[in-house]
């Protein structure tokens, strides 16, 4: 995290497009382990029926950053334009990179490792943390337990059908959620001015934030039904996408977009906690690889998702909403099947 913050700050010094691409690639490499690492740490500390609220908080932070990120970026670039001879966009990289570096330093002092090796717990507290997880069949390491090699963990992960069904489901969710890249464009296409469109995006994220929190709470209340909860949200998003394709009233499309986005964001956090709890009985190394595969292959969907809303399809954007409705239908099937199969073949 410290290193990618430094790399982000270095973007303020670029002179050519190729330099920017090179630095962005470096940032991507350094960031790659962040999300899987967050998932692994959360799933290594909390029982299955405690994880959804924590994942909801994690995703809720992403929702809030989407709501206010554009406004903060606009304030930085606008108010610091020309300060100390630097352009506003350079200040954006410097400020956000410095904030990342600062929080990385703080996290060293507040973020614990795993229950078995953290030095921040007493022996009694460490025993309690481990026994809580063992009672819930969540596999962790004790000091003298054997560890799998990376190759063994990879082999165990890719040979487990649970990994692939949850990879397929998460790819659908992430692919559909690339909709968030186009919120300002879509809102502007619904009839709002460019300036007003930035502010009309905020209610979309606000509703999503509330729904993510509610979903996390009830997912922990009914942990055996996470697959059905995800399927229900995807059905809502699918219906909204279909209706948007045939209804062209600006107000109606905006309301549908709000509920559609809420459904997609809510499934994101729930699907991650669903994967983490499903992989809980795996060896810790295998769980780490499986969570990384879900995250990495799921986020590959952003490649094609970025092309769902071409400018030539505005203002209706029927191509994008049509594809999302199709992916939503596929996601409903995947998570409904996961619900049935995971209950039938219960974790050992």
């Amino acid at each position: 995290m410290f290193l990618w913050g430094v790399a982000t700050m270095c973007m303020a010094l670029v002179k050519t497009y190729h330099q920017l691409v090179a630095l962005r690639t470096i940032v991507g490499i350094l960031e790659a382990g962040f999300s899987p690492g967050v998932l692994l740490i959360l799933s290594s500390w909390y029982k299955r029926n405690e994880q959804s609220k924590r994942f909801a908080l994690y995703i809720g932070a992403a929702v809030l950053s989407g709501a206010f990120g554009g406004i903060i970026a606009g304030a930085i670039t606008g108010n610091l334009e020309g300060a100390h001879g630097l352009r506003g966009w350079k200040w954006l990289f410097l400020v956000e990179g410095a904030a990342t570096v600062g929080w990385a330093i703080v996290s060293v002092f507040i973020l614990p490792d795993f229950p078995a090796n953290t030095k921040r717990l007493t022996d009694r507290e460490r025993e309690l943390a481990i026994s809580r997880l063992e009672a819930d069949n969540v596999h962790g390491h004790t000091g003298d337990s054997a560890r799998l090699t990376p190759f063994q963990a990879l082999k165990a992960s890719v040979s487990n059908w649970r990994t692939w069904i949850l990879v397929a489901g998460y790819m659908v969710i992430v692919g559909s959620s690339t909709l968030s890249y186009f919120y300002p464009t879509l809102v502007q296409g619904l009839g709002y001015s460019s300036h007003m469109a930035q502010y009309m995006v905020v209610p979309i994220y606000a509703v999503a934030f509330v729904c993510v929190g509610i979903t996390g709470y009830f997912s922990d209340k009914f942990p055996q039904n996470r697959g059905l909860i995800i399927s229900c949200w995807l059905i809502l998003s699918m219906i909204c996408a279909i209706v948007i394709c045939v209804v062209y009233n600006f107000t109606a499309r905006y309301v549908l977009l709000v509920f559609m986005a809420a459904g997609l964001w809510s499934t994101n956090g729930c699907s991650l906690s669903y994967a983490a709890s499903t992989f809980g009985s795996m060896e810790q190394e295998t769980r780490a690889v499986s969570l990384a595969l879900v995250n990495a292959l799921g986020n590959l969907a952003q490649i094609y998702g970025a092309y769902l809303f071409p400018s030539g399809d505005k203002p209706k954007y029927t191509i994008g909403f049509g594809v999302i409705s199709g992916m939503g239908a596929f996601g409903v099937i995947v998570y409904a099947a996961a619900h049935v199969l995971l209950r039938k073949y219960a974790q050992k």
Side-chain angles (χ1 to χ4, degrees), residues 158-238:
V158 299
S159 62
N160 193 315
W161 61 269
R162 294 175 178 86
T163 302
W164 296 109
I165 194 170
L166 293 172
V167 163
Y170 195 56
M171 288 188 74
V172 167
I173 291 172
V174 176
S176 300
S177 297
T178 52
L179 173 76
S180 61
Y181 299 160
F182 304 96
Y183 286 163
T185 301
L186 294 173
V187 171
Q188 189 175 354
L190 297 180
Y192 296 97
S193 65
S194 177
H195 179 73
M196 192 62 185
Q198 294 292 333
Y199 293 101
M200 292 303 294
V201 167
V202 176
I204 299 176
Y205 284 108
V207 173
F209 179 77
V210 174
C211 290
V212 167
I214 294 173
T215 302
Y217 176 80
F218 283 102
S219 294
D220 278 346
K221 283 287 186 180
F222 308 100
Q224 299 301 318
N225 294 312
R226 285 182 179 131
L228 292 181
I229 292 172
I230 296 171
S231 294
C232 289
W233 275 121
L234 287 175
I235 289 173
L236 173 64
S237 297
M238 178 187 67

Side-chain angles (χ1 to χ4, degrees), residues 66 169-187 201 204-205 234 237 257 260-268 295-310 317 319-325 327-328:
Y170 195 56
M171 288 188 74
V172 167
I173 291 172
V174 176
S176 300
S177 297
T178 52
L179 173 76
S180 61
Y181 299 160
F182 304 96
Y183 286 163
T185 301
L186 294 173
V187 171
V201 167
I204 299 176
Y205 284 108
L234 287 175
S237 297
L257 183 60
M260 180 180 171
L264 293 174
W265 276 111
S266 297
T267 59
N268 198 311
N295 191 272
L297 296 179
N299 279 287
L300 283 179
Q302 297 188 47
I303 296 175
Y304 59 78
Y307 297 95
L308 294 182
F309 296 91
Y317 295 104
I319 294 175
F321 289 115
V323 171
I324 288 177
S325 65
M327 288 195 293

Side-chain angles (χ1 to χ4, degrees), residues 31-266:
E31 279 188 327
F34 177 76
S35 289
V38 169
L39 307 186
L40 179 61
I41 288 179
L42 289 178
S43 65
S44 297
W45 278 93
Y46 296 103
K47 296 163 63 176
R48 299 171 199 263
N49 63 349
E50 298 172 339
Q51 291 179 13
S52 289
K53 292 188 289 291
R54 276 75 186 183
F55 281 95
L57 185 62
Y58 170 56
I59 295 299
V63 174
L64 288 180
S65 70
F68 300 105
I71 297 175
I72 294 173
I76 293 173
T77 56
N79 294 326
L80 293 179
E81 176 67 35
H84 299 284
L86 297 177
R87 297 292 308 276
W89 65 267
K90 292 188 176 184
W91 278 112
L92 179 62
F93 285 123
L94 289 172
V95 171
E96 296 195 348
T100 303
V101 168
W103 190 248
I105 295 172
V106 171
S107 67
V108 172
F109 299 98
I110 64 175
L111 183 66
D113 276 328
F114 299 104
N117 66 359
T118 180
K119 296 181 174 60
R120 307 199 179 161
L121 299 180
T122 64
D123 291 340
R124 175 59 183 151
E125 290 170 335
R126 192 176 298 110
E127 289 176 8
L128 178 60
I130 295 172
S131 62
R132 271 174 25 93
L133 297 173
E134 289 177 342
D136 197 40
N137 198 26
V138 175
H139 198 285
H141 275 297
T142 57
D144 56 351
S145 59
R147 293 181 177 273
L148 297 180
T149 66
F151 179 76
Q152 289 173 326
L154 177 62
K155 182 180 179 181
S157 176
V158 299
S159 62
N160 193 315
W161 61 269
R162 294 175 178 86
T163 302
W164 296 109
I165 194 170
L166 293 172
V167 163
Y170 195 56
M171 288 188 74
V172 167
I173 291 172
V174 176
S176 300
S177 297
T178 52
L179 173 76
S180 61
Y181 299 160
F182 304 96
Y183 286 163
T185 301
L186 294 173
V187 171
Q188 189 175 354
L190 297 180
Y192 296 97
S193 65
S194 177
H195 179 73
M196 192 62 185
Q198 294 292 333
Y199 293 101
M200 292 303 294
V201 167
V202 176
I204 299 176
Y205 284 108
V207 173
F209 179 77
V210 174
C211 290
V212 167
I214 294 173
T215 302
Y217 176 80
F218 283 102
S219 294
D220 278 346
K221 283 287 186 180
F222 308 100
Q224 299 301 318
N225 294 312
R226 285 182 179 131
L228 292 181
I229 292 172
I230 296 171
S231 294
C232 289
W233 275 121
L234 287 175
I235 289 173
L236 173 64
S237 297
M238 178 187 67
I239 292 173
C240 290
I242 293 172
V243 176
I244 286 176
C245 288
V246 297
V247 172
Y248 301 129
N249 177 271
F250 289 156
T251 303
R253 292 192 105 200
Y254 179 77
V255 173
L256 289 167
L257 183 60
V258 169
F259 284 106
M260 180 180 171
L264 293 174
W265 276 111
S266 297

